[in-house]
Amino acid sequence: MSERLEFGYNKGLPPDVTTAWGCRAIVHDDGFALDVPPDRESGFGDWHTLCGYLRDRDGDGWIGRATEMFATGALTVRSSAEVTLFEDDRAVVRANPMRSYGYLYVCAFFRPEPVRVDCPPALRELLRLDGEGWS
């Protein structure tokens, strides 16, 4: 990975990611509120499209899940546990307090597109799918 987030959880990004967004969210003392200051967000690649995708698919659901985890004690600002706050076949949101005593470092990224290999016609003639599999 050549690019890094200025703010966010870089360790949560896979090495081959080309589009990512991140933030350093503030966890309030009571653990029942999480704020994302606009000046503590960053991204690379087509990260505005990623943010739009997450809004459409998850809204601010990842914030609610993180807040609930802090409220129940499943996550604390004294821990360094990585958690997945959203995941589907296209995007992922991960976070980690990193023992910060007041912050939650978040990253979101598009999963890399799967590599598609077109089978040449000559190879298709050699390979047949029968009841047992490829032969």
Side-chain angles (χ1 to χ4, degrees):
M1 178 178 69
S2 60
E3 298 209 51
R4 295 183 48 83
L5 298 169
E6 183 179 355
F7 296 101
Y9 180 47
N10 281 295
K11 289 182 181 180
L13 297 174
D16 53 353
V17 72
T18 58
T19 297
W21 167 86
C23 72
R24 185 179 74 193
I26 297 170
V27 180
H28 292 271
D29 291 337
D30 60 8
F32 291 101
L34 199 69
D35 287 326
V36 180
D39 65 340
R40 295 297 181 256
E41 295 180 78
S42 64
F44 60 83
D46 191 11
W47 65 278
H48 293 289
T49 299
L50 170 63
C51 289
Y53 177 85
L54 291 171
R55 264 191 310 278
D56 291 346
R57 297 293 293 248
D58 188 46
D60 285 333
W62 69 267
I63 293 174
R65 282 185 283 289
T67 301
E68 182 179 321
M69 292 178 82
F70 280 114
T72 63
L75 194 58
T76 72
V77 292
R78 296 177 304 280
S79 72
S80 62
E82 178 178 287
V83 295
T84 299
L85 299 172
F86 173 82
E87 185 170 16
D88 69 5
D89 62 334
R90 188 74 182 104
V92 178
V93 178
R94 293 182 182 150
N96 189 329
M98 296 173 42
R99 292 190 178 110
S100 64
Y101 290 85
Y103 299 108
L104 181 65
Y105 296 87
V106 181
C107 69
F109 57 92
F110 277 135
R111 294 178 184 277
E113 291 289 331
V115 176
R116 296 177 189 261
V117 178
D118 188 30
C119 185
L123 186 56
R124 269 186 258 149
E125 291 294 321
L126 293 173
L127 299 173
R128 284 189 326 242
L129 182 61
D130 60 24
E132 301 293 315
W134 290 99
S135 60

